[in-house]
Structure formats: C-alpha cells, structure tokens
Amino acid sequence: MSAGTPKSLPSSGQKSIQDICHPLSAEESVLTPSPDAANNTTSSSIGHKDLSLPNGNAVDTSSPASSSSLLNRLQLDDDLDGETRDLFVTVDDPKKHVSAMETYITYRVSTKTTRTEFDLPEYSVRRRYQDFDWLRNKLEDSQPTHLIPPLPEKFVMKGVVDRFSEEFVETRRKALDKFLKRVADHPVLSFNEHFNVFLSAKDLNKRQGLALLSKMGESVKYVTGGYKLRARPIEFATMGDYLDMFTQKLGTIDRIAQRIIKEQSEYLVELREYGPLYSSWASSEQELQEPLDGVAGCVGNCCSALEELTEDMSDEFLPVLREYVLYIESMKNVLKKRDQVQAEYEAKLEAVAFREEKRTTVPTDVEKCQDRVECFNADLKADWERWQNNKRQDFRQLLTGMADKNIQYYEKCLAAWESLIPLLQDKQEAKAETN
C-alpha cells in the first residue's frame, strides 16, 4: 500500500531521491547511493547532526523497527525474524491523585534496557498525561523530519465520558503504552535525549533540554510561510492523496461502527426486558414452566454474549480507528514541514538565478538547504514504510480479533438455543406417552 518512488524532485539542480544514501532509511536497498550523492552527504553539516546523538555518540542504524504483537495463531510474512531489542517500556498501574488544587491520574512507566546511554538497567517512574504531552512536543521540535506517534486526545466532553472512570482510564493507559512502545521501537526517536529523561528522571524537569533543538529542527520550525512550493514530488503527492482517502474511509467506518454500537445497546435494553417476561409467565403456567424458564435463560445468555461483543467494539475497535485518524494528522504535519523546506530550497535557487551572477559553485546556504530536503525526504520515506508496516499488522490483528469475537458471540447464542431443544422434545414425548 506504499506509494511509488519518485524519479526526481521538480527543482533545478535537485538530485534524484534514488541517488541519496541516507543511513536512517528503513530500506537501504531502495536508496542506492551515487558517488556524488555520497560526497554531498558527507559534506553536509546537517546530515552529521542527524546522525549523532545529543551526547555525541553515533546512532545505531542497524536496529530494525519492531512489529506490533499479533494473535499467536496469526503469522505475517513481513515479520522481522531474529529481531533483537534492547529497550522495553510498559505503562501500567494508574493511580488517582486528589489535592486541593486538582485531581489527576498518574501511570507507572517501567523501563528495562541494556543501552549504555542509561545509567541503570531498570527504571520505574510515575507520569501523568501532561508529561507524555511534553515528551511528544519535544520529539516534534527536535526530530522534525520524523513521524511522531500520536497521543490519545486530552479533553473529553463533560457529561458524556467520565475521565476518572475505570473504563476511560484503562483505554487511555493502553493508548499511552502504545505511544511509548512505538517511540521505543523507532531507530531514531528512541535515542532522543528527551525520551531518555522521560524514562529515567524521577522528577521530570520540563525545562530540561531546551538547548537540544538541532539546527535542522530550528530551520524547519522557523521557515516562514512566504515560500510557495511549485509542485510536491510525485511520491509525496501520492502520500497526501492516500492520507486523504484513508481519512475518508476511517471516518465512514467509525460512524457506522458507532451507529452499530448504539443499535446494539438499544437492543440490549429490549433483551433485558424480554427475558424476565418469560420467567413471569412461567410462574403462572405449571405445565409450561420449564420450557418458559428455559427460554428466559436463553435470552439471558444471548444478552450477556451481545454485551461482551458491544464492549469489545467500544474498547478495542473504536480506539484503533481513532488512533489512526490522529496518526494521519501527524503524517500530514510532517508532509507540510517537508514542503516548507523544499519551498525554501526552490526560492533560494530562484534568487541565485535572478541575480544572474557568474558562479562556478552553488552558494553554501543553497547546498545546505538541498541537504535538508534530501534528509527530510529520506527520513519521511523510511517512517512512511514503517508506518505502513505497523498499520498492516495492527489492522490484521484488529480484524482477526473482531472476527473471533463475532464467531464467539454467535456460538454462544447457538449453544443457548440448542440447549433448549432437548427440553422441549422431552416435554412433547412426555405428553404423547400420557395420552
């Protein structure tokens, strides 16, 4: 489902993306370097910034992105075999805190690692939602060329959802856990110093690391809106079209799913009233008492099975749809940043041509801007492939689970009604013998 690969950027002097050798790309076989591209990459100060950690160590680009866990019986042909991971993060144990000023929930964030960037092999800290939000903002600022996983939405409609209910807190915990796992699995984001601080610091000082913004981040952040991109390269235009289509499809599925849940909930109300009527009837019908009680029991079993199915759709199906709606927004933001950097590059080229000065070499600032475009393209392409792999695995797991839940629902209903048949047959045979 990934987009096609463009032949070149529609800018004068821009190299083909296929000629760019970027070590952080997920598929090095696709990005075959040419000698010129390799030389430009080596001479780029921006490229060097992106290939080193805040502490000066080189990024380990050999670690593949890990896949989401699947149902035991589901095996994907694109799973990574023999994958080694050195950073494990979990979010659990939500606790409610009440003070005179506010009421809030904290979650335990547990980390196990063998990385040398951490002073200890294990950490356990407590974080609240705004701490996760701080981390995501820092990742966006310091890693502007990468797709940052989304967080669950902070605000809920008052009177509709109780944000301190067990169901809501558990749903949010799962989303926060998935957010950290996606960051920990990323070969670049997982080495971010803000992420290290978030996982290891007992008291999170949110003013830490303000000077860690890379030159790349500052460049992207402060690009003015005066530049207008001539044309988005075919690969990234295809990405944008796909995201628009995917948003539309997810929106339609979400609306229908919510309507189904509403109708199932209304049906449950009727079933809960329907079953006891047979029990009430049975109390006044001595001859039909057992069959009527049996029907009441069947309706009760079907009611319980439908309630489980409805809860599963609300707790498992809808949150995944919402996560990917937010993921799409994040991807569109990265695409816009990429367009800004390319627009700046095109504007610089036009300015040089307009001066009509005889130059034997391209100005340094134009070369640096070109390097930023190439770096952005390679990072975005790698993250796009990683996102597509995660999406494919998540939805296979989701749809397989949904199929299993529906099969279980109908099997329970079938078993309930089949258990009633022998009782009715026995009554019929007993009546025939009496006659």
Side-chain angles (χ1 to χ4, degrees), residues 36-73:
D36 293 338
N39 292 334
N40 284 338
T41 303
T42 302
S43 63
S44 170
S45 61
I46 300 298
H48 281 296
K49 282 288 184 182
D50 285 347
L51 298 181
S52 62
L53 300 175
N55 61 9
N57 294 333
V59 174
D60 180 7
T61 60
S62 62
S63 300
S66 71
S67 59
S68 303
S69 60
L70 303 177
L71 299 177
N72 290 334
R73 74 181 194 200

Side-chain angles (χ1 to χ4, degrees), residues 284-325:
S284 60
E285 292 279 357
Q286 184 176 0
E287 188 175 343
L288 295 176
Q289 182 175 4
E290 288 188 39
L292 291 175
D293 283 336
V295 172
C298 287
V299 173
N301 290 335
C302 291
C303 183
S304 298
L306 182 58
E307 187 173 11
E308 291 178 8
L309 181 64
T310 304
E311 288 178 354
D312 185 74
M313 284 194 67
S314 298
D315 299 340
E316 303 296 336
F317 186 76
L318 292 183
V320 174
L321 296 184
R322 187 57 195 161
E323 180 199 8
Y324 272 89
V325 169

Side-chain angles (χ1 to χ4, degrees), residues 5 58 117 119 124 126 149 183 198 260 263 339 351 366 371 397:
T5 303
E117 290 78 17
D119 296 330
S124 180
R126 298 204 70 84
V183 175
F198 177 88
I260 290 174
E263 292 173 354
D339 290 347
V366 177
D371 290 336
Q397 180 182 9

Side-chain angles (χ1 to χ4, degrees), residues 26 131 153:
D131 299 329
E153 294 168 302

Side-chain angles (χ1 to χ4, degrees), residues 107-306:
Y107 304 85
R108 180 174 61 192
V109 177
S110 303
T111 305
K112 293 184 178 181
T113 183
T114 57
R115 292 186 179 181
T116 58
E117 290 78 17
F118 291 86
D119 296 330
L120 300 173
E122 295 186 17
Y123 293 90
S124 180
V125 296
R126 298 204 70 84
R127 299 287 184 253
R128 55 188 298 185
Y129 179 89
Q130 66 182 30
D131 299 329
F132 288 84
D133 190 49
W134 170 86
L135 171 62
R136 191 179 188 282
N137 289 333
K138 287 300 180 183
L139 291 176
E140 277 196 332
D141 287 341
S142 57
Q143 309 283 174
T145 65
H146 288 285
L147 172 63
I148 312 301
L151 281 174
E153 294 168 302
K154 179 177 182 179
F155 298 103
V156 295
M157 295 178 63
K158 293 183 177 180
V160 177
V161 178
D162 179 9
R163 65 189 184 97
F164 297 114
S165 67
E166 290 185 9
E167 295 79 7
F168 178 81
V169 171
E170 176 60 15
T171 299
R172 172 163 284 186
R173 183 203 65 78
K174 290 179 180 178
L176 295 176
D177 182 75
K178 182 176 288 187
F179 165 75
L180 287 189
K181 281 181 168 56
R182 293 199 191 283
V183 175
D185 288 345
H186 196 283
V188 177
L189 299 181
S190 63
F191 287 94
N192 186 278
E193 186 161 341
H194 297 103
F195 188 47
N196 185 314
V197 170
F198 177 88
L199 296 179
S200 60
K202 282 294 181 182
D203 297 319
L204 187 60
N205 180 0
K206 293 172 185 172
R207 297 187 61 83
Q208 280 182 285
L210 291 180
L212 294 177
L213 287 177
S214 66
K215 292 181 180 179
M216 180 68 184
E218 292 174 346
S219 173
V220 174
K221 185 175 181 180
Y222 296 110
V223 167
T224 64
Y227 303 116
K228 186 176 181 181
L229 184 66
R230 289 203 300 265
R232 180 181 278 176
I234 181 65
E235 177 180 22
F236 303 109
T238 303
M239 288 182 184
D241 293 341
Y242 174 83
L243 292 174
D244 291 338
M245 179 274 297
F246 192 31
T247 301
Q248 182 182 7
K249 297 299 182 185
L250 285 185
T252 302
I253 292 174
D254 181 69
R255 288 193 298 272
I256 295 175
Q258 295 203 45
R259 188 163 67 241
I260 290 174
I261 291 174
K262 181 176 181 294
E263 292 173 354
Q264 287 178 340
S265 299
E266 294 172 350
Y267 180 44
L268 272 173
V269 173
E270 300 294 335
L271 278 181
R272 291 191 180 103
E273 296 179 359
Y274 186 55
L277 289 176
Y278 284 94
S279 297
S280 177
W281 182 13
S283 62
S284 60
E285 292 279 357
Q286 184 176 0
E287 188 175 343
L288 295 176
Q289 182 175 4
E290 288 188 39
L292 291 175
D293 283 336
V295 172
C298 287
V299 173
N301 290 335
C302 291
C303 183
S304 298
L306 182 58

Side-chain angles (χ1 to χ4, degrees), residues 5-23:
T5 303
K7 296 299 182 184
S8 62
L9 292 174
S11 303
S12 174
Q14 179 67 46
K15 291 181 172 57
S16 166
I17 193 171
Q18 290 179 322
D19 293 334
I20 304 166
C21 179
H22 195 283

